[in-house]
Amino acid sequence: MKYKTKILVLNCGSSSLKFKVISFPEEIEIVSGEAEKVGVKSTTSSRIKMRIENDTYEIKENLPDHFSAFKTVVNYLQGKINFDIIGHRYVHPGNEKKHSLIINEESIRYLESTLHFAPLHNPVSFSMIKFSQEIFPDIPQYAVFDISFHNTIQPEFSTYALPLELSQKYNIKRYGFHGISHQYVMEEALKFLNVEKEKVKIISAHLGTGGSSLCAIKNGESIHNTMGFTPLEGLIMNTRSGDIDIGIVLYIMFLKKFTPDQMDNILNKQSGLAGIYKETSDLREIASRVNDDGRAEKAFDMYVRRIKKYIGFYFLILEGFNVLIFTDTLGVEVPLLREKICDEMDFLGIKLDKEKNKNSTDYCLKDISADGSKVKILVVPTNEELMIAREIYRGIK
């Protein structure tokens, strides 16, 4: 007889809180939902979309932080739904822990020492773990790590050109992020295409309202991720700069006499789309204004060009690729973004069917490739919560 259990998964993004209660071994979603625009400057209010069994809810209210979002969710769940285990997505556990941890006093002490590795995520997830322990002290909890999928990145791509003694002493290397999502959409794409992992080379584009990254996948393994030592590197994001000349950081700190915390705040919370386009950092809103607002057009174009740059790089290191996956909120909900990314990429084998693309926003797995496209272009809604719950269930059953 298979072990039966219900797992509540909490997935804290930098500006979102996704949550699900999943029954195992059937993998039935009893509850699912997301708090959006948590602590984000936007022209529209924060909201929580939630489904409990067959009933749906939408709550519009101010959500200044993740705790207020979680409290609202808990109030709706109490008395309606029970669960046996709580699973947390934890972004960056440092270099010592590569696999999931059960939460106890020892692991709490360890995780507390890793907050600096992902300043936008780890402190939120860590606080949520402690908060959940206070509310549900008798329910076992686990932390599942976002970087585990990228343990296969080889030294030639994970090593920074810094003095070796510094890199070794402080475990400085490319860790990569969004591993849970990249792994999930890869597995779903393989099932959809009915091919073995050894037969395809994949570029996975996880484009979220908070963080975004691309991943190059070969033989079912991550060989590169645009995020690096922290989730700051790589693509332009809603409040994060992505790649910039490190000399700029030193220059600003020198001119303004900024502390490291002040500079960190600028790079992680005031840059990216928020820095380029002041009114909103939500790319969906920016995309809706590109025809009438020159600054919106510029911000959108910068966002797209950074992605195209990495697709070109990944084409080289993969020596060609067969599948391009778009996932997460922006990857699914913004057809214009997918169209512009794929525009003038025929020479790489990318040929988009614009009509299929336009009609693929319904959170179903879709093939939006045009006839004759050498690269399969897929929209694959991610399900990090299911992947986290699977990881926990596989460990306890």
Side-chain angles (χ1 to χ4, degrees):
M1 181 177 177
K2 292 183 178 179
Y3 178 68
K4 289 183 174 292
T5 192
K6 295 175 185 174
I7 302 175
L8 167 64
V9 177
L10 299 175
N11 181 356
C12 294
S14 55
S15 61
S16 66
L17 172 64
K18 296 177 182 176
F19 52 93
K20 286 183 180 174
V21 177
I22 304 171
S23 176
F24 279 82
E26 302 89 354
E27 295 191 353
I28 296 173
E29 290 185 6
I30 301 169
V31 177
S32 63
E34 180 177 3
E36 297 180 341
K37 300 182 179 180
V38 179
V40 168
K41 178 182 179 182
S42 174
T43 56
T44 58
S45 66
S46 309
R47 65 178 179 177
I48 298 175
K49 295 185 292 186
M50 188 185 325
R51 181 182 60 78
I52 303 177
E53 295 181 328
N54 294 321
D55 298 320
T56 59
Y57 305 86
E58 181 169 335
I59 307 156
K60 291 184 178 179
E61 63 181 45
N62 183 36
L63 300 172
D65 52 45
H66 290 76
F67 301 113
S68 57
F70 184 52
K71 285 178 183 175
T72 304
V73 172
V74 168
N75 286 337
Y76 269 81
L77 295 185
Q78 276 187 338
K80 299 184 180 74
I81 300 296
N82 296 319
F83 42 86
D84 310 299
I85 297 168
I86 298 176
H88 299 266
R89 173 182 175 239
Y90 195 86
V91 169
H92 198 334
N95 197 43
E96 294 181 25
K97 308 293 183 183
K98 299 187 182 302
H99 302 289
S100 307
L101 284 179
I102 188 167
I103 300 301
N104 52 35
E105 289 186 10
E106 180 182 354
S107 57
I108 284 287
R109 284 196 297 273
Y110 177 77
L111 293 177
E112 191 168 21
S113 72
T114 68
L115 302 185
H116 61 286
F117 282 115
L120 280 183
H121 298 86
N122 282 2
V124 173
S125 296
F126 179 75
S127 298
M128 190 64 75
I129 289 170
K130 296 194 71 174
F131 189 53
S132 301
Q133 278 191 311
E134 293 174 11
I135 299 177
F136 304 107
D138 299 323
I139 294 181
Q141 302 191 35
Y142 292 81
V144 177
F145 303 134
D146 205 31
I147 66 173
S148 297
F149 183 60
H150 302 302
N151 287 335
T152 49
I153 296 176
Q154 295 300 300
E156 60 266 31
F157 290 131
S158 66
T159 306
Y160 289 98
L162 292 169
L164 193 58
E165 61 274 18
L166 280 177
S167 298
Q168 291 178 338
K169 182 175 182 179
Y170 297 109
N171 297 314
I172 296 172
K173 67 172 189 175
R174 177 180 304 282
Y175 288 93
F177 297 88
H178 294 142
I180 296 166
S181 175
H182 289 303
Q183 182 179 5
Y184 177 82
V185 298
M186 174 198 71
E187 292 181 358
E188 293 303 298
L190 293 177
K191 283 192 288 185
F192 178 76
L193 297 171
N194 193 27
V195 293
E196 298 175 356
K197 61 185 181 182
E198 293 81 8
K199 302 288 186 183
V200 292
K201 299 172 185 175
I202 298 172
I203 296 178
S204 170
H206 174 107
L207 306 177
T209 54
S212 297
S213 75
L214 263 60
C215 183
I217 302 170
K218 185 177 182 181
N219 296 323
E221 297 181 343
S222 169
I223 66 168
H224 195 279
N225 182 250
T226 54
M227 289 178 166
F229 179 65
T230 74
L232 180 60
E233 188 178 352
L235 306 180
I236 293 173
M237 290 166 261
N238 73 324
T239 62
R240 281 173 262 174
S241 64
D243 298 340
I244 63 169
D245 181 348
I246 193 67
I248 297 170
V249 176
L250 302 175
Y251 182 66
I252 292 174
M253 292 182 74
F254 174 76
L255 284 180
K256 303 288 288 185
K257 309 299 182 190
F258 280 161
T259 65
D261 282 346
Q262 287 174 311
M263 198 65 228
D264 179 85
N265 184 275
I266 288 174
L267 293 172
N268 275 298
K269 297 184 178 179
Q270 301 180 40
S271 299
L273 294 171
I276 302 166
Y277 188 76
K278 299 294 184 183
E279 286 86 343
T280 177
S281 61
D282 189 327
L283 188 85
R284 291 169 293 187
E285 296 176 18
I286 294 172
S288 70
R289 302 176 186 182
V290 294
N291 293 327
D292 306 311
D293 184 335
R295 288 191 305 108
E297 182 183 15
K298 178 185 175 184
F300 188 81
D301 188 51
M302 288 175 66
Y303 187 93
V304 168
R305 286 179 183 275
R306 184 69 59 84
I307 295 170
K308 292 166 82 85
K309 165 188 163 182
Y310 273 105
I311 289 175
F313 172 50
Y314 284 176
F315 178 86
L316 290 174
I317 65 173
L318 287 167
E319 299 179 349
F321 63 101
N322 317 91
V323 181
L324 174 61
I325 298 172
F326 290 102
T327 192
D328 209 35
T329 307
L330 301 179
V332 174
E333 292 186 6
V334 189
L336 180 64
L337 177 60
R338 297 192 296 259
E339 180 182 331
K340 293 301 181 184
I341 291 170
C342 293
D343 193 30
E344 298 181 347
M345 299 282 265
D346 302 44
F347 68 102
L348 296 183
I350 299 172
K351 195 174 178 183
L352 184 76
D353 185 312
K354 292 186 178 180
E355 196 60 29
K356 289 181 183 175
N357 177 53
K358 186 179 178 181
N359 296 321
S360 297
T361 58
D362 55 359
Y363 280 84
C364 293
L365 196 159
K366 297 283 182 64
D367 180 352
I368 56 174
S369 319
D371 292 340
S373 177
K374 293 179 181 177
V375 173
K376 282 291 182 185
I377 310 168
L378 304 179
V379 179
V380 186
T382 192
N383 195 336
E384 293 175 298
E385 297 74 36
L386 177 55
M387 202 74 204
I388 291 167
R390 280 178 182 169
E391 178 77 9
I392 295 168
Y393 185 72
R394 288 166 182 165
I396 62 173
K397 71 176 181 178

